[in-house]
Amino acid sequence: MNVLFIGDIVGNIGRKTLKQVLPALKDKYNPHIIIVNGENAAAGRGITKAIAKEFFEWGVHGITMGNHTWDNKDIFEWIDDEPRIVRPANFSSEAPGRGMAIIAANGKKLAIINIQGRAFLPPIDCPFRKADELIEEAGETTKAILVDFHAEATSEKIAMGWYLDGRASVVLGTHTHVQTNDETILPGGTAYITDVGMVGSKEGVLGMEKAAVLHRFLTQLPSRFVVDEGKWHLHGLSLQIDEATGSATKITKIRLTEDEWLVM
Ligand code: FE2
């Protein structure tokens, strides 16, 4: 099974870029299933129903989220009725939505699980134990299991990769918006990368305009971050999973820029 995963899509520029580049990515990597992280899709904060609908129309099959899940209040109205979107499973048991979904497309079935880290992020239930629980549940339906670990600290993400090695097909990190150079297949057969990266402006700070970010660093005063609209970059992963065993057989980084993507 071929899976395409695209890193955190930031704002309008990130969405426009996805729409523009996705057809070429489909041609090149022939994915059966396409998953994106959408937690920054609405002006950098959360996602709306209209944006999720557009992603699905463009060929996305599933959406993962993160710490910005609730930033757009409209999500409370529809998340329970949208089985193709997952938010961190280790949020409170009172929270709406789900942390695991079975995505079925093109004759394939992939479980997607979203968990959030606890290092340098708000206190939350244990991501390791929650992953145990959901991997077992997903295993009743499919051996192909993708875990999006939305976390800040490289140590916590690497630890999760080792913890789930041989039990998940893929453990990938999101949230930092910086693609790491450590993609690998761990000894137990789990494809791993510390962070997939992002889709959006490469000329700001993690997708946001640099002036406001610098103002906050230099003055420690509040400043409102807005999405930068400079030239884009797009980061993702192409993955191959052996459905019979659940093991990953290939992990390839995707790294495109506005100036170079036509020659990919
Ligand atoms: Fe995040």
Side-chain angles (χ1 to χ4, degrees):
M1 171 195 315
N2 299 334
V3 175
L4 180 67
F5 185 95
I6 307 291
D8 305 36
I9 296 159
V10 182
N12 184 44
I13 179 178
R15 304 197 309 271
K16 265 179 20 200
T17 301
L18 180 71
K19 186 181 185 187
Q20 182 184 8
V21 178
L22 199 52
L25 293 174
K26 288 183 196 170
D27 282 351
K28 179 158 182 178
Y29 297 105
N30 293 308
H32 297 100
I33 294 183
I34 301 172
I35 311 293
V36 303
N37 183 288
E39 74 133 12
N40 303 123
R45 297 172 188 84
I47 191 167
T48 63
K49 187 174 188 178
I51 290 172
K53 183 167 174 272
E54 269 193 335
F55 286 171
F56 295 134
E57 282 167 5
W58 299 340
V60 169
H61 301 103
I63 300 172
T64 59
M65 297 292 287
N67 54 308
H68 289 291
T69 299
W70 312 122
D71 286 4
N72 254 283
K73 301 303 169 223
D74 99 325
I75 198 165
F76 290 100
E77 308 292 318
W78 57 272
I79 192 168
D80 277 331
D81 303 321
E82 178 45 78
R84 295 168 290 180
I85 186 163
V86 288
R87 47 75 174 162
N90 51 334
F91 281 174
S92 162
S93 57
E94 307 288 310
R98 75 214 78 223
M100 193 265 285
I102 305 291
I103 304 296
N106 296 307
K108 310 290 181 187
K109 268 188 193 160
L110 175 73
I112 58 170
I113 294 171
N114 197 193
I115 40 174
Q116 184 171 309
R118 296 191 289 190
F120 314 118
L121 280 167
I124 190 170
D125 292 349
C126 177
F128 294 87
R129 292 183 178 89
K130 184 52 80 171
D132 287 341
E133 191 184 310
L134 290 180
I135 283 175
E136 196 173 319
E137 192 184 329
E140 291 166 13
T141 310
T142 177
K143 287 189 169 169
I145 300 171
L146 180 149
V147 177
D148 174 353
F149 189 27
H150 196 81
E152 182 78 42
T154 49
S155 59
E156 195 180 16
K157 290 157 121 172
I158 292 169
M160 184 65 78
W162 287 118
Y163 188 64
L164 300 182
D165 183 25
R167 297 193 283 148
S169 311
V170 184
V171 176
L172 56 84
T174 57
H175 178 66
T176 69
H177 296 193
V178 178
Q179 188 179 70
T180 54
N181 198 25
D182 61 342
E183 81 280 14
T184 188
I185 296 180
L186 296 170
T190 297
Y192 174 81
I193 189 167
T194 298
D195 208 287
V196 176
M198 64 170 279
V199 185
S201 172
K202 69 194 268 282
E203 298 181 335
V205 177
L206 310 182
M208 300 312 227
E209 273 183 13
K210 51 186 175 285
V213 178
L214 279 166
H215 180 262
R216 196 185 290 184
F217 276 122
L218 290 168
T219 65
Q220 297 90 52
L221 293 169
S223 57
R224 186 169 165 75
F225 293 175
V226 291
V227 170
D228 191 71
E229 298 285 336
K231 286 195 173 181
W232 59 257
H233 55 179
L234 177 147
H235 303 149
L237 287 182
S238 166
L239 299 147
Q240 281 177 14
I241 299 168
D242 178 342
E243 300 145 77
T245 63
S247 291
T249 50
K250 199 171 178 191
I251 174 169
T252 307
K253 284 198 305 273
I254 299 166
R255 191 174 177 83
L256 303 173
T257 63
E258 183 166 344
D259 293 328
E260 293 167 355
W261 76 282
L262 288 170
V263 296
M264 76 171 179

